[in-house]
């Protein structure tokens, strides 16, 4: 994708409040490990593989030291990264997306792509860019259909040309279906509102119904926080400093100003929309020309994943590509993304990222494989991602027959010590964690340098960095040093 056409902006300043105790000032959200790579690695890889050479990376000063260290000493990609550090010392409030764009306005000279660093996706960026170009879109969003939405709020969309995909009985597509797909118009966003999960009413006034007579309402689409914006959209943010968020302020504003006569259009929009888009752009657009249609908001909706899930292992499973799209906003979504990345051949865009290395079964020597150890002492499932220099400790070399240590559907960090007869499943274990004998860890997250004593059983737990968990049964508990500072 041409640098002269689009610039890329990554917003990585989020504090990750809903990921506590995984995050802190010394452990930025953007550096949380996913399949043993920092979260930010995936959005940078995504942009590089979609043709970008440069990116503007926006962070806050509380995260600057750790992220700059990663970019300068660890990051091995080819992107030229321009780091922009925003000062939040005087104001402890989290700098939101629209505010961040205003801070870097002098760096943006073309249409631009802005994405959140917590988005993991393999959707081809060209698919979104084509919709943006061909429809003279003001802003184009990436939306994903989800049935289980964790947030306390839901995104409600009013859409043109949107049909919920029906299940197909066959993978073969008829010629008639192919012709329908070619004629299918892109989905336009004509109403957007973020409501509390308990709210039952979606207000539509008469003026809206006059402008849009046929549309679909949906509450199962999620805004993935990847946007392609026309350059003049930044001018709107500059002239409207009261806007803090792209999602909550800018997009609803643009959506509500669609298909409005020019003399009734907001004066700021009349001022910033360039003459080219008010005249020649209509002739270049593949959509119908309408002099009262200056502002246009479109979306690309991630296709449905039709990969068969009838088997329990992914060993021989070829996943459908271009359909993965998930933000790491909560503990649940963080665990989900880690599990998906650990699966072999699951997301080809990142297939060179996840690796499984050998475990050293020796209590004293790390990095040397002891071939005298019975391999039956350790079982590793096919959907595991295991880091470097893992040490199997405890009674691993005892001649007495014991239950083997088992790793299943989990990500294990570097330099971890795991005791005999322990079981880890559906979990994330970060670097330098010590796990005793007869430990069971399920659906849990164990942060770096934590110590899990022998005979502990953890289900759905979160263990903060450096914390010690004593022997006992624990369910849905958080082990942390205190409240997160905001």
């Amino acid at each position: 994708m041409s640098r002269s056409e689009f610039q890329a902006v990554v917003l990585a300043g989020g504090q990750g409040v809903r990921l506590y105790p995984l995050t802190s000032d010394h452990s930025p959200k953007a550096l949380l490990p996913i399949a043993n790579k920092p979260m930010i690695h995936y959005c940078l890889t995504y942009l590089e593989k979609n043709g970008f050479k440069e990116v503007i990376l926006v962070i806050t000063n509380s995260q600057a030291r750790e992220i700059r260290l990663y970019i300068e000493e660890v990051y091995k990609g080819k992107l030229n990264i321009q780091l922009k550090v925003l000062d939040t010392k005087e104001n402890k409030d989290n700098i939101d997306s629209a505010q961040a764009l205003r801070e870097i306005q002098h760096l943006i000279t073309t249409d631009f792509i802005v994405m959140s660093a917590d988005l993991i996706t393999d959707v081809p960026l060209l698919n979104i860019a084509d919709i943006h170009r061909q429809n003279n879109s003001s802003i184009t969003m990436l939306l994903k259909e989800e049935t289980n939405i964790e947030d306390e709020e839901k995104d409600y969309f009013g859409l043109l040309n949107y049909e919920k995909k029906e299940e197909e009985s066959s993978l073969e597509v008829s010629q008639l279906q192919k012709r329908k797909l070619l004629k299918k118009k892109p989905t336009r966003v004509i109403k957007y509102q973020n409501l509390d999960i308990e709210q039952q009413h979606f207000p539509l006034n008469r003026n809206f119904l006059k402008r849009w007579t046929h549309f679909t309402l949906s509450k199962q689409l999620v805004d993935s926080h990847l946007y392609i914006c026309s350059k003049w959209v930044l001018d709107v943010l500059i002239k409207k400093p009261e806007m803090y968020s792209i999602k909550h302020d800018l997009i609803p504003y643009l959506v509500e100003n669609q298909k409005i006569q020019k003399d009734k259009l907001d004066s700021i929009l009349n001022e910033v929309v360039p003459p080219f888009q008010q005249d020649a752009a209509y002739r270049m657009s593949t959509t119908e020309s309408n002099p009262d249609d200056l502002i246009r908001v479109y979306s690309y909706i991630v296709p449905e994943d039709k990969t068969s899930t009838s088997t329990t292992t992914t060993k021989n499973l070829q996943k459908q590509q271009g359909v993965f799209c998930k933000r790491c906003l909560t503990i649940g979504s963080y665990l989900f993304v880690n599990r998906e990345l650990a699966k072999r051949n699951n997301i080809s865009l990142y297939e060179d990222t996840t690796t499984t290395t050998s475990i050293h079964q020796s209590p004293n020597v790390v990095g040397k494989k002891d071939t005298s150890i019975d391999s039956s002492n350790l079982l590793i499932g096919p959907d595991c991602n295991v880091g470097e220099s893992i040490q199997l400790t405890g009674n691993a070399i005892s001649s007495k027959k014991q239950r083997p240590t088992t790793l299943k559907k989990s990500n294990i960090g570097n330099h971890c010590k795991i005791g005999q007869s322990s079981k880890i499943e559906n979990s994330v274990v970060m670097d330098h964690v010590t796990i005793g004998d007869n430990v069971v860890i399920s659906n849990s997250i164990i942060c770096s340098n934590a110590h899990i004593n022998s005979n502990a059983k953890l289900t759905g737990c979160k263990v903060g960095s450096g914390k010690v968990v004593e022997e006992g049964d624990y369910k849905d508990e958080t082990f942390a040093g205190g409240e997160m500072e905001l």
Side-chain angles (χ1 to χ4, degrees):
M1 195 163 293
S2 172
R3 157 66 176 83
S4 59
E5 183 180 12
F6 296 113
Q7 288 177 267
V9 178
V10 172
L11 303 180
Q15 293 179 304
V17 175
R18 285 184 285 179
L19 287 168
Y20 181 77
L22 281 60
T23 51
S24 69
D25 287 343
H26 301 293
S27 180
K29 175 183 175 181
L31 295 183
L32 282 179
I34 298 177
N36 293 333
K37 294 285 186 181
M39 184 185 293
I40 198 172
H41 165 87
Y42 295 94
C43 64
L44 296 178
T45 299
Y46 176 76
L47 290 171
E48 181 180 330
K49 291 194 173 184
N50 276 279
F52 280 90
K53 306 297 183 184
E54 302 174 353
V55 62
I56 302 169
L57 180 61
V58 184
I59 61 175
T60 59
N61 49 11
S62 63
Q63 309 161 328
R65 179 180 175 275
E66 289 78 12
I67 293 181
R68 181 177 279 114
L69 189 67
Y70 167 74
I71 296 300
E72 293 176 353
E73 299 187 12
V74 180
Y75 174 69
K76 303 299 182 183
K78 299 178 181 179
L79 284 176
N80 178 18
I81 300 174
Q82 186 172 5
L83 203 60
K84 176 61 178 177
V85 182
L86 305 185
D87 188 0
T88 59
K89 289 182 179 178
E90 295 183 1
N91 184 1
K92 284 193 173 183
D93 290 341
N94 201 19
I95 292 183
D96 217 327
S97 51
Q99 295 172 282
L101 290 179
R102 276 193 291 270
E103 292 287 334
I104 62 168
Q105 58 179 280
H106 59 288
L107 301 176
I108 299 176
T109 58
T110 67
D111 289 359
F112 58 98
I113 294 165
V114 56
M115 68 181 295
S116 174
D118 60 17
L119 174 63
I120 314 295
T121 183
D122 67 343
V123 173
L125 199 47
L126 183 63
N127 293 357
I128 313 169
D130 280 347
I131 291 176
H132 187 79
R133 298 183 187 109
Q134 293 169 7
N135 296 279
N136 189 33
S137 183
S138 309
I139 187 167
T140 306
M141 312 168 63
L142 176 62
L143 303 180
K144 176 71 184 325
E145 193 172 283
E146 291 193 13
T147 53
N148 299 316
I149 300 175
E150 297 178 81
D151 283 351
E152 295 177 356
E153 298 179 332
K154 271 192 176 182
D155 296 332
Y156 286 76
F157 290 94
L159 304 165
L160 291 183
N161 308 318
Y162 172 68
E163 295 179 4
K164 186 174 172 60
K165 302 175 184 63
E166 297 180 358
E167 294 293 330
E168 294 182 9
S169 57
S170 171
L171 293 178
E172 296 183 3
V173 180
S174 67
Q175 291 298 321
L176 178 61
Q177 288 172 316
K178 288 181 179 179
R179 286 195 292 271
K180 286 183 178 179
L181 288 173
L182 289 172
K183 292 181 179 179
K184 182 174 172 55
K185 297 178 181 179
T187 302
R188 185 166 181 174
V189 181
I190 60 171
K191 186 72 176 179
Y192 171 67
Q193 198 156 347
N194 187 256
L195 300 175
D196 291 340
I197 204 86
E198 296 179 355
Q199 287 183 260
Q200 301 295 323
H201 300 289
F202 187 64
L204 298 173
N205 58 38
R206 287 186 177 181
N207 288 334
F208 175 86
L209 295 174
K210 287 180 180 179
R211 279 184 287 159
W212 314 101
T213 55
H214 297 86
F215 55 90
T216 302
L217 291 179
S218 174
K219 60 178 181 180
Q220 291 187 330
L221 290 169
V222 175
D223 179 0
S224 298
H225 283 225
L226 187 154
Y227 314 103
I228 301 184
C229 305
S230 295
K231 168 63 173 66
W232 61 262
V233 169
L234 183 60
D235 297 329
V236 173
L237 294 178
I238 295 169
K239 291 181 177 296
K240 295 183 77 67
E242 67 274 15
M243 286 188 174
Y244 288 90
S245 166
I246 295 175
K247 173 178 179 175
H248 295 290
D249 299 319
L250 175 62
I251 291 177
Y253 170 76
L254 294 176
V255 166
E256 293 300 323
N257 276 282
Q258 294 181 101
K259 213 170 180 182
I260 292 180
Q261 293 180 5
K262 184 179 179 182
D263 58 345
K264 296 181 180 178
L265 197 63
D266 187 304
S267 59
I268 289 177
L269 290 173
N270 259 325
E271 182 181 347
V272 302
V273 177
F276 170 78
Q277 287 187 282
Q278 294 179 10
D279 181 17
Y282 293 129
R283 297 191 295 273
M284 296 179 65
S285 174
T286 59
T287 59
E288 301 87 355
S289 298
N290 186 337
D292 293 329
D293 198 10
L294 295 178
I295 314 302
R296 301 180 178 191
V297 180
Y298 281 85
S299 66
Y300 177 82
I301 299 177
V302 180
E304 180 184 359
D305 186 354
K306 295 184 179 296
T307 304
S308 172
T309 56
S310 58
T311 58
T312 57
T313 179
T314 57
K315 184 177 181 180
N316 299 313
L317 182 63
Q318 293 298 317
K319 293 287 290 183
Q320 181 181 347
Q321 304 303 323
V323 297
F324 189 83
C325 184
K326 189 75 173 179
R327 291 187 68 200
C328 294
L329 289 171
T330 64
I331 295 295
S333 59
Y334 178 74
L335 277 170
F336 173 80
V337 170
N338 267 279
R339 283 195 294 265
E340 291 299 302
L341 265 293
K343 293 179 181 178
R344 306 290 180 83
N345 301 320
N346 194 21
I347 307 172
S348 63
L349 187 69
Y350 308 112
E351 62 187 358
D352 57 344
T353 294
T354 56
T355 57
T356 301
T357 60
S358 60
I359 290 185
H360 310 297
Q361 297 175 305
S362 171
N364 298 315
V365 182
V366 176
K368 295 181 179 179
K369 187 175 180 180
D370 188 344
T371 57
S372 66
I373 302 302
D374 185 357
S375 61
S376 64
N377 283 326
L378 177 67
L379 297 176
I380 303 179
D383 293 344
C384 279
N385 185 56
V386 182
E388 298 177 354
S389 302
I390 304 302
Q391 186 176 346
L392 190 62
T393 62
N395 296 318
I397 59 173
S398 173
S399 60
K400 184 178 179 181
K401 188 68 175 177
Q402 298 191 45
R403 175 168 54 86
T405 293
T406 304
L407 309 180
K408 183 180 179 182
K409 296 182 179 180
S410 295
N411 285 277
I412 311 297
N414 302 314
H415 307 287
C416 291
K417 298 178 181 179
I418 304 175
Q420 177 63 19
S421 300
S422 290
K423 182 178 181 180
I424 304 173
E425 61 179 356
N426 295 316
S427 296
V428 176
V429 177
M430 300 185 190
D431 297 343
H432 298 283
V433 171
T434 300
I435 297 171
D437 297 339
N438 301 302
V439 170
V440 177
I441 299 173
S442 177
N443 294 303
S444 298
I445 301 174
I446 316 298
C447 292
S448 298
N449 300 300
H451 192 117
I452 314 299
N453 285 342
S454 296
N455 302 309
K457 182 178 180 181
L458 288 76
T459 304
C461 293
K462 303 175 286 291
V463 181
S465 180
K467 296 302 170 184
V468 177
V469 178
E470 303 292 347
E471 175 183 348
D473 289 1
Y474 305 93
K475 184 176 181 180
D476 299 327
E477 294 198 30
T478 298
F479 299 86
E483 297 297 323
M484 183 178 181
E485 291 187 11
L486 300 178

